[in-house]
């Protein structure tokens, strides 16, 4: 399964929309705090609609708590977050990918492991550059015009999640619908 990891998201509407995408696709959403909003924010709740009940949203106070909760004793904890993230991926054999406009690799050119974690950064700054540097070979980007800075975070998550799902045959998803009036 794909795991979406938001690192310090800032805009409640984006996170609410990402909750909805994850709920509709079966992806697990991991949110590493601090966030730029309250979890009681009306815009967060409204954009997630009634999908909160079928979503799997997990929150962590920081990156080390995320690593420990998900990878237990195999989680590295030297105090150097970028190196610990890389070491945890290596120790566990888990694919970690980092979405960034600074990457040289297009998301559609890589193979998604069955179980993977894709990290997304803040809307205003993206992922920390030291994290990207330490894990640069695992960074992926969504192509766009040269004069565009970035895409909306919720849209970026949806693009990557659906590419993962496409590459795994949309396993577990309903692929057809029907008209309701005919």
């Amino acid at each position: 399964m794909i795991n979406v990891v938001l690192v310090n998201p800032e805009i409640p509407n984006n996170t609410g929309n990402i909750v909805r995408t994850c709920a509709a696709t079966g992806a697990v959403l991991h949110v590493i705090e601090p966030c730029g909003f309250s979890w009681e924010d009306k815009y967060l709740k409204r954009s997630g609609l009634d999908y909160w009940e079928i979503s799997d949203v997990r929150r962590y106070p920081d990156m080390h708590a995320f690593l420990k909760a998900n990878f237990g004793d195999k989680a590295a904890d030297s105090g150097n977050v970028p190196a610990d993230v890389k070491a945890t991926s290596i120790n566990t054999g888990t694919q970690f990918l980092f979405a960034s406009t600074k990457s040289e690799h297009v998301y559609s050119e890589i193979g998604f492991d069955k179980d993977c974690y894709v990290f997304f950064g803040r809307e205003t700054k993206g992922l920390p550059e030291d994290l990207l540097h330490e894990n640069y070979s695992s960074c992926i980007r969504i192509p766009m015009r040269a004069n565009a800075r970035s895409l909306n975070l919720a849209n970026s998550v949806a693009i990557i999640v659906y590419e993962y799902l496409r590459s795994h045959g949309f396993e577990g998803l309903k692929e057809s619908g029907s008209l309701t009036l005919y």
Side-chain angles (χ1 to χ4, degrees), residues 1-9 18 22 27-33 39 56-60 66 69-71 116-120:
M1 121 184 22
I2 187 168
N3 292 269
V4 173
V5 183
L6 300 182
V7 180
N8 311 128
I18 293 166
C22 289
V28 176
L29 176 59
H30 304 267
V31 180
I32 299 174
E33 298 181 341
W39 283 89
D56 186 353
V57 180
R58 304 173 189 179
R59 294 167 46 197
Y60 311 90
F66 161 78
N70 290 284
F71 302 101
C116 66
Y117 289 76
V118 184
F119 293 75
F120 296 85

Side-chain angles (χ1 to χ4, degrees), residues 33-157:
E33 298 181 341
C35 299
F37 53 84
S38 162
W39 283 89
E40 302 306 315
D41 186 284
K42 68 180 180 179
Y43 298 108
L44 173 71
K45 299 295 183 188
R46 184 180 306 144
S47 58
L49 295 174
D50 57 345
Y51 287 80
W52 289 95
E53 281 77 41
I54 64 168
S55 65
D56 186 353
V57 180
R58 304 173 189 179
R59 294 167 46 197
Y60 311 90
D62 55 41
M63 186 68 78
H64 284 109
F66 161 78
L67 295 172
K68 188 72 170 164
N70 290 284
F71 302 101
D73 293 337
K74 292 185 178 182
D77 189 5
S78 67
N80 179 339
V81 171
D84 291 345
V85 170
K86 184 173 186 172
T88 299
S89 175
I90 292 167
N91 291 348
T92 62
T94 305
Q95 184 182 42
F96 284 1
L97 298 168
F98 304 86
S100 174
T101 59
K102 297 170 181 155
S103 175
E104 297 175 343
H105 306 289
V106 175
Y107 73 93
S108 59
E109 296 172 345
I110 58 107
F112 288 92
D113 288 356
K114 186 73 172 167
D115 293 311
C116 66
Y117 289 76
V118 184
F119 293 75
F120 296 85
R122 294 191 279 189
E123 289 89 341
T124 58
K125 295 183 180 181
L127 290 166
E129 194 150 313
D130 56 344
L131 182 64
L132 297 175
H133 176 73
E134 186 71 29
N135 299 280
Y136 200 62
S137 64
S138 298
C139 291
I140 57 175
R141 72 175 279 116
I142 299 168
M144 64 188 110
R145 295 173 70 180
N147 59 346
R149 283 192 320 272
S150 65
L151 292 171
N152 172 276
L153 179 61
N155 293 338
S156 297
V157 169

Side-chain angles (χ1 to χ4, degrees), residues 5-23:
V5 183
L6 300 182
V7 180
N8 311 128
E10 299 169 311
I11 301 173
N13 304 57
N14 282 336
T15 300
N17 285 321
I18 293 166
V19 166
R20 188 173 176 184
T21 296
C22 289

